[in-house]
Amino acid sequence: APQVREGWVRLMPSGMPMHAGFGRIDNRCRTPVTIVGASSPSYGEVELHETVADPETGATKMQALEDPIVIEPGETVTLEPGGQHIMLMDLQCAPMAGTELSVQLQFEGGQEQSLRLPVRDYAGAKEEYAPGEEPTAGESPEHADESMESMDHGDMAGMEDSSSEALPMCEEAA
């Protein structure tokens, strides 16, 4: 079966009802392996996504993969921020950094592989921010803090119903 190495899940800000999963998948089989989907007991919906740049504006956005991920014999596919990744959506509980999430990869032919992915706090590759929303490097730290705070309150105002308070913390998988 394919082997997943260095798998992990990115912890999103509290209140975000989705997380992204990453890792390297080695195909040690003699035939190509096709990943057709994923699932998780802690999430209502899991999809394979990719990050694509709009050729006209250069802005990046995430979208569901149109095609399954095919890994040729001896090849490695890397799921990483800014590229292809597993999108865990519709959280049933809120994970904490340092815990592990259980995810099943689904392969063509009905095979499944269970993964235990550690949750990490990760701040790189903020592809969901539109250009111009990030504090620029020239601003003073105090100023950056203020703009981050006002951005948080503005963005989160409509999300109270899905805030982390409403979600029970995930029980650590045994």
Side-chain angles (χ1 to χ4, degrees):
Q3 185 178 29
V4 177
R5 292 183 293 133
E6 300 157 32
W8 59 286
V9 169
R10 171 162 143 205
L11 185 65
M12 298 300 249
S14 63
M16 294 282 282
M18 57 180 63
H19 290 70
F22 310 106
R24 291 160 60 108
I25 306 170
D26 299 331
N27 181 7
R28 305 227 162 144
C29 309
R30 294 201 175 113
T31 54
V33 170
T34 303
I35 303 170
V36 294
S39 63
S40 170
S42 304
Y43 292 83
E45 196 176 346
V46 182
E47 291 183 356
L48 300 173
H49 275 215
E50 64 183 341
T51 307
V52 293
D54 185 315
E56 289 175 25
T57 64
T60 55
K61 62 173 183 171
M62 288 188 283
Q63 64 183 31
L65 276 176
E66 290 178 16
D67 302 311
I69 299 172
V70 178
I71 313 172
E72 297 296 332
E75 297 283 311
T76 297
V77 161
T78 303
L79 306 178
E80 60 190 349
Q84 295 177 333
H85 53 276
I86 299 166
M87 206 68 208
L88 306 152
M89 298 184 288
D90 190 16
L91 265 74
Q92 309 301 308
C93 63
M96 283 172 27
T99 58
E100 288 187 333
L101 290 179
S102 176
V103 176
Q104 279 77 42
L105 279 182
Q106 294 154 349
F107 298 98
E108 204 169 65
Q111 290 173 300
E112 285 202 337
Q113 184 176 5
S114 293
L115 310 176
R116 299 291 295 277
L117 302 179
V119 177
R120 287 190 205 155
D121 209 339
Y122 174 81
K126 295 188 168 89
E127 61 265 6
E128 57 278 338
Y129 291 150
E133 277 189 48
E134 289 280 78
T136 60
E139 289 178 350
S140 67
E142 301 84 46
H143 197 82
D145 281 349
E146 281 168 35
S147 65
M148 285 303 286
E149 269 179 41
S150 60
M151 189 175 99
D152 258 10
H153 294 298
D155 286 356
M156 300 313 239
M159 293 182 65
E160 267 120 16
D161 55 337
S162 64
S163 73
S164 57
E165 288 75 45
L167 284 176
M169 294 308 293
C170 294
E171 291 175 28
E172 296 213 31

